[in-house]
Amino acid sequence: MKRLFLLFLPFLLFVAGTFVACEEVEEAGKYDNWRPRNEAFVDSIKGKAGDRLVLTAKDADEMEEGELFAIQVPTTSTNMIPQYAYCKKLVKKETGERPNFDGYNSTVKAFYYGTLITGDEFDGNFDGYGATDRDIPLPLSSDSKWPTEFNSSSEFTVSGVIPGWTWALQYMRVGERWMLYIPWQSAYGSSGNSSGTIPGYTSLTFDVYLEGFVE
């Protein structure tokens, strides 16, 4: 019996090594061709947005639920290359205040759920919709991944988040819920975030519910 086990031992080691190697290859391949994959994702969003631009608060009010729009991001745009963030209203409000870049109403309370193009969550305070949720049921119902009593909103200044989110926030009314699709140029750029959890050239998707302002 001992000899039989020894004969099988190299085989078992080979199988185990194969599984480990497969896991390493799978993990190593997660970010393969990362920049072109992220840019292709944004291009697909851009194609669906077409020529629908949000340039004013009036434009934002006229956005219909479920339709994709583009918002220019001045802080990352140049004269030659304008940069855009893309957005979709999941909940529309006719009234309600909007955040300002600085001064009054510059600090907001919001629920958010952030994902990579793979659908993997990288940050958030509730279980919302992600990058791979293309067919979000509209209008949203009471069980459509809303924050629960166990979730708490986060507070932050409008100017203290990534550029794509900063400029989209200023068009949102309190009580609205938007999906944001932010290209890497208006997110963490080519170098990624300081903690290393988001690599360079990463486009980000956020499900954002603007709850209110910090008094």
Side-chain angles (χ1 to χ4, degrees):
M1 290 297 293
K2 290 182 179 179
R3 185 176 180 182
L4 182 62
F5 175 78
L6 291 174
L7 288 173
F8 274 92
L9 185 58
F11 174 75
L12 292 173
L13 291 173
F14 170 77
V15 172
T18 301
F19 283 135
V20 170
C22 288
E23 290 176 359
E24 289 176 349
V25 169
E26 184 178 357
E27 185 62 27
K30 182 176 182 179
Y31 298 115
D32 283 355
N33 302 312
W34 192 238
R35 178 175 179 174
R37 286 166 59 195
N38 278 267
E39 291 179 345
F41 175 84
V42 170
D43 285 344
S44 69
I45 300 294
K46 178 181 178 181
K48 292 179 180 178
D51 59 358
R52 291 192 291 269
L53 295 176
V54 174
L55 301 174
T56 66
K58 184 176 182 294
D59 292 338
D61 284 337
E62 292 175 353
M63 290 169 60
E64 294 299 326
E65 290 179 351
E67 290 188 352
L68 280 161
F69 287 78
I71 295 174
Q72 187 169 357
V73 183
T75 49
T76 56
S77 294
T78 66
N79 291 334
M80 299 296 294
I81 306 176
Q83 300 294 338
Y84 297 93
Y86 299 91
C87 57
K88 177 194 298 184
K89 280 188 182 183
L90 302 184
V91 173
K92 179 176 181 176
K93 295 291 183 181
E94 300 295 338
T95 59
E97 293 185 76
R98 287 190 169 97
N100 297 315
F101 185 80
D102 53 15
Y104 180 65
N105 284 353
S106 64
T107 303
V108 300
K109 296 185 293 184
F111 289 95
Y112 70 99
Y113 180 71
T115 57
L116 308 178
I117 62 169
T118 57
D120 295 329
E121 178 186 3
F122 65 86
D123 195 10
N125 52 31
F126 85 112
D127 183 20
Y129 292 103
T132 55
D133 292 311
R134 295 303 182 92
D135 298 316
I136 301 172
L138 295 175
L140 293 183
S141 60
S142 59
D143 60 348
S144 297
K145 293 191 174 184
W146 282 98
T148 71
E149 59 182 325
F150 303 105
N151 302 127
S152 299
S153 58
S154 298
E155 299 178 0
F156 49 84
T157 60
V158 176
S159 59
V161 290
I162 56 176
W165 200 357
T166 290
W167 291 96
L169 267 176
Q170 295 174 85
Y171 288 113
M172 293 183 70
R173 290 189 182 275
V174 169
E176 287 193 328
R177 184 174 171 184
W178 290 23
M179 291 296 296
L180 302 181
Y181 304 92
I182 302 177
W184 62 265
Q185 295 93 332
S186 297
Y188 290 102
S190 59
S191 58
N193 66 348
S194 58
S195 65
T197 55
I198 299 176
Y201 303 108
T202 297
S203 300
L204 303 176
T205 297
F206 292 94
D207 180 348
V208 183
Y209 170 56
L210 183 58
E211 183 183 36
F213 302 106
V214 177
E215 300 296 335

